Amino acid sequence: MASVRRQVSTTGTTYFQAVWSLTGKDGTTKRQTKSFSRQADAKAYAAKMEAECEKRGIGDVEKQTFVVFTERLMAHWQARGELAQTSLIGYRRNLGLLAREIGNIPLGKLSPLHIDEALAALKANGGAARKPGKAGQPRGTRPLADRTLLHLYRIGSTAMEQARRWKLVASNPFKDVKAPSPGKSKIKIMTEEEAIRVYQAATHADESGKHPGMALLVALLMVCGMRRSEILGLAFDAIDLDSETISVFRTVVAGEKGEAILRDERAKSESSIRTITIPREVISMIRNHRNWINEMVLQWGKGYQHEPLLLFPTFGGAALPPRVLTSRLRQLHRRAGVRGIAPTHGFRHGMASAMVANGIDIKTVSERLGHSTTGFTLATYVHAVKGRDKAAADQLGKQFSAIAAASERP
């Protein structure tokens, strides 16, 4: 309950205090006051604070800043154990970016204007430059993409919605901010000529000894459409050469500092755990690669990591960090003169489009990619293949000619 009391200062001046109680997150109650020269002002403020305290319930939001709250929220999410480690890393990174602009603002004072200004500032120079600065100088900045800003908006809104549910704030200020609208990005897939050049570059890297196994890795990406985490987690215990299948159930993801984290029986989703058929054309490549891995194990000695025995490891059999694979594939693309295609997902999109173009039903395509719905596969992964529209026109022309010829018969 809030109240107003009349006070007299040491100089004899009369003033009025608005008094209310605030319950802390530890359950203790603290008395808060604010002084006014007019009784009416004190009464109005007391009524306001009583209503605010009733809505908020707990926490001194005048002192709890956005960054303090998000640190508490991350600890809560970590303790609950309901989010994947990769999700927690992404949330922490995005909340950290927002905190650069609004971290010192108390929760109770965070407004839609603050958020709009923060998103505008981050759009202008929120990202780190891709190239490091000169010796002794910090890395520069670059604009953030609208899609990244949308991720920041969504996680910020999620955080403040939790603050509202905990009754730390009366409302979520993100609700009154227009979400960034990046639009649908157009994904480019490789042409057949580009795919040939990339595979040639992979073969050269393999034969030169710079990146042994790169030709097989690219071949599997082309014909199996595995995600980056899945190809890095692929081990020989998941391959059945007799039945010509690969079981996808192990992944390698990046930790907070980019380190490789090997996860058994942990995929992106339940539908991601699947078994797919390997084309016979790559069976011999896998056998030859196994022989090379066996030789490397012998050369390394007993310290080599056998459990699991990964197809594409780093030194000593350990899991290869995801960003290293991305870097190697980008190098292949540059050598092949291929631009604007995602290093690993480009193969995935290309495989899906090629299968549909060659008449494979969408259900099979979706299951091979590890998607939960065919609708997502069609909307996101299937793209027009160059030349297929002409083939479609030719086929439709043949059908029409047959119909026209039949109609002329008496």
Side-chain angles (χ1 to χ4, degrees):
M1 293 292 293
S3 60
V4 174
R5 62 186 181 187
R6 182 176 180 275
Q7 298 283 77
V8 179
S9 68
T10 54
T11 61
T13 303
T14 300
Y15 65 96
F16 299 89
Q17 273 189 337
V19 184
W20 69 97
S21 296
L22 191 67
T23 303
K25 57 186 178 183
D26 58 355
T28 60
T29 301
K30 298 178 181 179
R31 190 178 68 176
Q32 309 288 318
T33 64
K34 187 168 184 177
S35 300
F36 297 87
S37 59
R38 297 174 64 246
Q39 186 179 29
D41 293 338
K43 285 183 177 181
Y45 193 80
K48 174 186 173 183
M49 294 313 298
E50 182 172 346
E52 285 292 305
C53 290
E54 182 68 25
K55 290 179 181 177
R56 294 173 182 166
I58 60 171
D60 188 350
V61 291
E62 298 301 320
K63 295 180 180 178
Q64 187 171 181
T65 61
F66 180 79
V67 69
V68 169
F69 166 71
T70 54
E71 288 171 357
R72 173 185 172 192
L73 181 60
M74 288 302 307
H76 168 73
W77 282 340
Q78 183 86 46
R80 290 285 293 269
E82 297 173 353
L83 295 173
Q85 188 65 27
T86 48
S87 297
L88 289 171
I89 291 171
Y91 290 169
R92 185 175 289 109
R93 179 177 61 249
N94 288 337
L95 287 172
L97 279 172
L98 282 172
R100 278 172 37 185
E101 303 296 330
I102 58 176
N104 294 326
I105 300 175
L107 282 188
K109 295 183 178 180
L110 184 61
S111 70
L113 176 60
H114 291 135
I115 297 165
D116 267 324
E117 290 178 341
L119 292 175
L122 289 168
K123 181 173 183 176
N125 57 10
R130 298 191 185 278
K131 295 182 179 180
K134 296 180 180 179
Q137 295 182 353
R139 186 184 291 268
T141 61
R142 62 182 173 86
L144 281 185
D146 286 339
R147 188 162 298 279
T148 302
L149 290 173
L150 181 59
H151 291 323
L152 297 183
Y153 170 86
R154 285 174 173 169
I155 185 58
S157 182
T158 298
M160 289 305 295
E161 188 61 22
Q162 184 63 65
R164 187 195 64 77
R165 287 196 294 268
W166 280 343
K167 296 188 177 180
L168 296 175
V169 294
S171 61
N172 180 355
F174 278 83
K175 298 293 185 182
D176 292 322
V177 175
K178 184 180 178 181
S181 53
K184 189 173 180 180
S185 57
K186 187 174 181 180
I187 298 175
K188 182 182 175 184
I189 62 173
M190 286 186 202
T191 63
E192 186 174 339
E193 293 78 10
E194 289 174 328
I196 291 171
R197 297 202 302 270
V198 169
Y199 185 70
Q200 287 174 337
T203 302
H204 178 74
D206 195 340
E207 294 174 347
S208 68
K210 184 176 182 180
H211 298 310
M214 186 58 76
L216 174 61
L217 186 145
V218 168
L220 289 173
L221 288 175
M222 285 181 172
V223 300
C224 295
M226 287 186 284
R227 301 175 176 91
R228 181 180 68 172
S229 60
E230 295 169 349
I231 195 78
L232 288 174
L234 183 61
F236 286 100
D237 63 356
I239 300 177
D240 188 333
L241 294 178
D242 294 329
S243 64
E244 300 177 352
T245 59
I246 286 177
S247 297
V248 181
F249 60 85
R250 184 185 290 117
T251 56
V252 172
V253 297
E256 198 157 359
K257 297 181 179 179
E259 73 278 11
I261 300 176
L262 182 66
R263 305 190 304 180
D264 273 302
E265 304 294 343
R266 292 280 304 279
K268 185 175 182 181
S269 64
E270 186 177 342
S271 57
S272 297
I273 299 176
R274 62 200 188 277
T275 298
I276 55 180
T277 304
I278 318 168
R280 292 181 179 177
E281 288 77 2
V282 300
I283 295 294
S284 60
M285 295 177 68
I286 294 175
R287 285 198 172 100
N288 292 336
H289 187 66
R290 176 62 188 263
N291 293 334
W292 178 81
I293 289 288
N294 289 340
E295 291 176 6
M296 189 167 63
V297 171
L298 289 174
Q299 293 174 6
W300 189 273
K302 67 177 184 178
Y304 194 91
Q305 178 178 306
H306 293 80
E307 298 295 336
L309 188 61
L310 297 171
L311 268 75
F312 308 110
T314 186
F315 303 108
L320 186 71
R323 63 185 178 187
V324 174
L325 176 59
T326 297
S327 176
R328 290 179 182 178
L329 288 172
R330 280 184 176 143
Q331 289 176 16
L332 290 184
H333 284 196
R334 284 196 295 270
R335 292 193 188 104
V338 174
R339 300 182 182 277
I341 295 177
T344 50
H345 256 59
F347 294 105
R348 203 166 146 79
H349 284 264
M351 186 198 75
S353 298
M355 284 195 293
V356 171
N358 286 290
I360 306 298
D361 65 277
I362 191 61
K363 180 65 174 175
T364 299
V365 176
S366 184
E367 290 180 352
R368 192 169 181 85
L369 290 170
H371 290 161
S372 56
T373 66
T374 56
F376 178 76
T377 306
L378 280 170
T380 311
Y381 277 79
V382 178
H383 313 276
V385 176
K386 187 177 181 180
R388 296 304 299 176
D389 185 63
K390 176 64 167 60
D394 292 342
Q395 179 64 33
L396 291 169
K398 290 178 182 178
Q399 292 178 7
F400 173 73
S401 295
I403 292 171
S407 68
E408 294 175 357
R409 296 170 190 164

